[in-house]
Amino acid sequence: MNPDHHDEELNALLAALPQPSPPCELDAAILADAQQALVMPLAKPLAANDSLDGVVRTLPAIDYLTRWRIPLGLAAAVLLTFNLVGGDFFGHKQAKFPVVGEPVDPPAAQMESNAEPSGAVRAQPSARSAMAPPAPPKLDASVWLLKIDGLLKAGQGPAAQQEWTAFRQAYPEYPVDKQLQQRLEQR
């Protein structure tokens, strides 16, 4: 059998089948609309994305910072992180962060003014300080108690006792938790 012979038979069978086509009424309606559009031109040509109700809609104006939003946000995050971590970010020196409630170390200038040429520190006159009322406390009472509690938990009993004595001189009437007071009195 010849393969070309089968192809001719198949082509003849396919040609004999009815082919799909649009109805004649649809063709007539499309041609009538085209004739009417040619006779009566529109005042304004319509685009494919124009609204059918005739209302002109425009897109909101694009803010000029829109394209800079991500780069500016990243730059701000990097600067904020750099400032929080410390100025010596890439160095070997560890940043020193202040601890809440810790008194600030006295400046070196005061220490140098009290120093004698031999290197010994001379004492300030204490007659005035003995008659003066006690200096105002350096810490808030609740913060000071937290510091004392932290010293006790860290096993630094003498330092906690010293802070407790200073606390009681500064805040004699301040209410203290009974458990903390008992731990301090046991030492």
Side-chain angles (χ1 to χ4, degrees):
M1 278 206 190
N2 188 2
D4 293 332
H5 177 36
H6 288 294
D7 287 341
E8 290 174 9
E9 284 181 28
L10 183 60
N11 286 340
L13 286 174
L14 287 175
L17 290 174
Q19 299 296 321
S21 63
C24 294
E25 295 86 23
L26 182 60
D27 286 340
I30 291 173
L31 290 173
D33 284 346
Q35 288 295 330
Q36 185 180 7
L38 289 174
V39 173
M40 191 171 62
L42 294 172
K44 177 182 164 193
L46 292 175
N49 58 353
D50 286 346
S51 68
L52 295 176
D53 59 1
V55 177
V56 178
R57 291 177 179 84
T58 59
L59 293 174
I62 297 175
D63 184 20
Y64 98 96
L65 284 178
T66 300
R67 70 178 247 189
W68 290 100
R69 184 173 292 146
I70 292 176
L72 287 175
L74 290 173
V78 166
L79 286 175
L80 181 63
T81 303
F82 185 73
N83 284 335
L84 288 177
V85 170
D88 196 22
F89 184 70
F90 295 107
H92 300 288
K93 190 170 55 171
Q94 186 176 6
K96 187 174 183 182
F97 296 106
V99 178
V100 175
E102 287 289 323
V104 179
D105 292 336
Q110 287 180 345
M111 297 296 281
E112 290 174 5
S113 66
N114 293 339
E116 291 187 2
S118 65
V121 177
R122 62 186 158 120
Q124 293 283 347
S126 61
R128 234 184 202 176
S129 62
M131 293 191 309
K138 295 178 184 177
L139 298 174
D140 183 44
S142 59
V143 174
W144 205 342
L145 286 174
L146 287 174
K147 179 182 176 184
I148 294 170
D149 189 38
L151 288 171
L152 284 174
K153 288 179 181 176
Q156 298 176 356
Q161 285 295 332
Q162 184 181 7
E163 289 291 327
W164 174 250
T165 306
F167 174 80
R168 273 301 173 199
Q169 288 176 356
Y171 298 104
E173 300 297 320
Y174 192 82
V176 180
D177 184 34
K178 290 181 183 181
Q179 290 179 343
L180 177 63
Q181 194 169 6
Q182 287 174 357
R183 285 193 302 171
L184 286 165
E185 290 173 357
Q186 287 176 357
R187 296 199 177 256

